[in-house]
Amino acid sequence: MTSTATVPRSVTVRAPAKVNLELRVGPRRGDGFHALSTVYMAVGLYDEVAVATADDWEVLVGGPYAEQVPTDDTNLALIAAKTLAAEVDVAEPVSLRIHKEIPVAGGMAGGSADAAAALVACDQLWAVGMARDELVELGASLGSDVPFAMSGGIAMGSGRGEQLAPVLARGTFYWVFAVSTSGLSTPKVYAECDRLRGKAPVPAPEPSAGMMTALRSGDAEALGRALSNDLQTAAISLQPALREVLDAGQEFGALGSVVSGSGPTVAFLTASAEAALDLCVSLSASGVASEVKRAKAPVHGAQVLPGASRV
Ligand code: C5P
């Protein structure tokens, strides 16, 4: 049994957003998920989740996207905390305070980041000490992108996206994100992808040689050319204005433009921190994007923050 003196009263974890550098969607599986071959990159846009022992379960959300996040039993961080509590037989409610910087329903795995952060935070708060691979497995049961939010960096995802493998990669990359005011539902985008594909057989998805070569070289121009997303056509079909955003990035000199995950956030790869700033200015001034963000990548996965945090 752990002495109470060593158990922290509150723990804060931050977890990053992701962009899919490549997202190849295979056939719909029997369980309703689609077989994927994807390459994830963790980007320096973070949500923070602070957990503290409380009399009852509660969720409080702050930050620019707070109003869009449910605080009831459907909140993913709350579900994650309760799932871990049930798994390890802890009967200790926590209050979860989430500071949300990752766009909601944007295709950047914000909900998965919150779930990953809550798992890592509660594991520490309750002094569970769960083995990393068990925590990752629990994360996978909560969402396909949760394991990657825990690992961060750059990784290849297979299965439904939850099975991760390392990728040989180098370099630092500078991204700009055009955030849409209205989100897209991930299941609806997958369903639209199926509808557009019709009845033709879909091959098993595989990583592309071009992407692997670009990552090995660390060459941002090659990576920009290799960006691809099988969900992009479906996202544009549901939100046609995305076409204009993608074209604007190209026009303003981005090395590559791609819809992030199931969208509607559009990710632009740029050559440097200065080029990223320039692109933000051009996108905003042209009126094509109401909100733009910049981020460096790759970054670490879910990490415990020392000391006090802003949440
Ligand atoms: O795993 P996650 O919670 O992100 O999945 C949300 C929804 O997205 C699933 O219920 C499913 O409709 C769709 N999805 C899919 N194939 C995947 C991942 C997600 O069809 N590989």
Side-chain angles (χ1 to χ4, degrees):
M1 177 136 173
T2 318
S3 125
T4 46
T6 64
V7 177
R9 293 174 54 211
S10 95
V11 177
T12 303
V13 172
R14 74 171 193 180
K18 60 84 182 163
V19 59
N20 301 83
L21 306 176
E22 174 169 275
L23 179 50
R24 296 188 150 191
V25 179
R28 191 168 179 274
R29 312 189 312 194
D31 62 3
F33 287 89
H34 292 72
L36 294 189
S37 169
T38 191
V39 180
Y40 295 105
M41 182 180 278
V43 303
L45 260 185
Y46 302 94
D47 279 357
E48 286 180 18
V49 178
V51 298
T53 305
D55 293 335
D56 217 339
W57 296 95
E58 77 170 339
V59 183
L60 301 164
V61 188
Y65 304 108
E67 318 83 74
Q68 297 171 53
V69 181
T71 53
D72 60 11
D73 282 344
T74 63
N75 183 285
L76 270 179
L78 180 62
I79 293 172
K82 286 186 173 176
T83 304
L84 179 62
E87 182 75 17
V88 298
D89 230 354
V90 165
E92 221 182 88
V94 295
S95 132
L96 297 114
R97 284 179 301 143
I98 303 172
H99 183 87
K100 196 107 199 96
E101 288 283 342
I102 306 174
V104 177
M108 299 191 78
S112 298
D114 298 351
L119 284 180
V120 173
C122 288
D123 179 70
Q124 179 141 340
L125 183 78
W126 295 327
V128 174
M130 188 177 261
R132 188 74 181 182
D133 52 348
E134 281 180 50
L135 207 56
V136 167
E137 204 179 313
L138 205 59
S141 73
L142 300 166
S144 309
D145 298 331
V146 178
F148 181 70
M150 295 172 93
S151 75
I154 302 175
M156 195 136 71
S158 60
R160 57 183 163 84
E162 89 289 15
Q163 288 167 27
L164 301 180
V167 173
L168 264 181
R170 66 170 100 180
T172 299
F173 300 95
Y174 300 88
W175 292 92
V176 169
F177 300 100
V179 179
S180 181
T181 42
S182 50
L184 274 176
S185 137
T186 303
K188 282 190 184 150
V189 177
Y190 275 99
E192 181 67 0
C193 178
D194 288 341
R195 191 187 71 78
L196 292 171
R197 282 175 164 178
K199 293 210 159 41
V202 180
E206 280 178 17
S208 73
M211 175 55 68
M212 294 304 129
T213 308
L215 286 171
R216 265 199 308 275
S217 71
D219 175 3
E221 279 187 29
L223 184 60
R225 284 193 299 273
L227 298 174
S228 78
N229 180 358
D230 283 355
L231 291 178
Q232 183 159 303
T233 311
I236 294 170
S237 166
L238 296 174
Q239 214 172 101
L242 291 179
R243 183 74 267 164
E244 205 187 321
V245 184
L246 285 157
D247 290 347
Q250 221 67 11
E251 187 187 324
F252 297 137
L255 301 177
S257 313
V258 72
V259 166
S260 181
S262 56
T265 304
V266 176
F268 305 101
L269 186 63
T270 66
S272 63
E274 295 73 33
L277 187 55
D278 287 347
L279 181 58
C280 281
V281 172
S282 301
L283 287 170
S284 303
S286 70
V288 76
S290 53
E291 193 189 344
V292 288
K293 287 183 176 278
R294 279 180 298 149
K296 219 159 89 163
V299 297
H300 287 293
Q303 269 185 325
V304 175
L305 293 182
S309 79
R310 64 186 148 171
V311 292

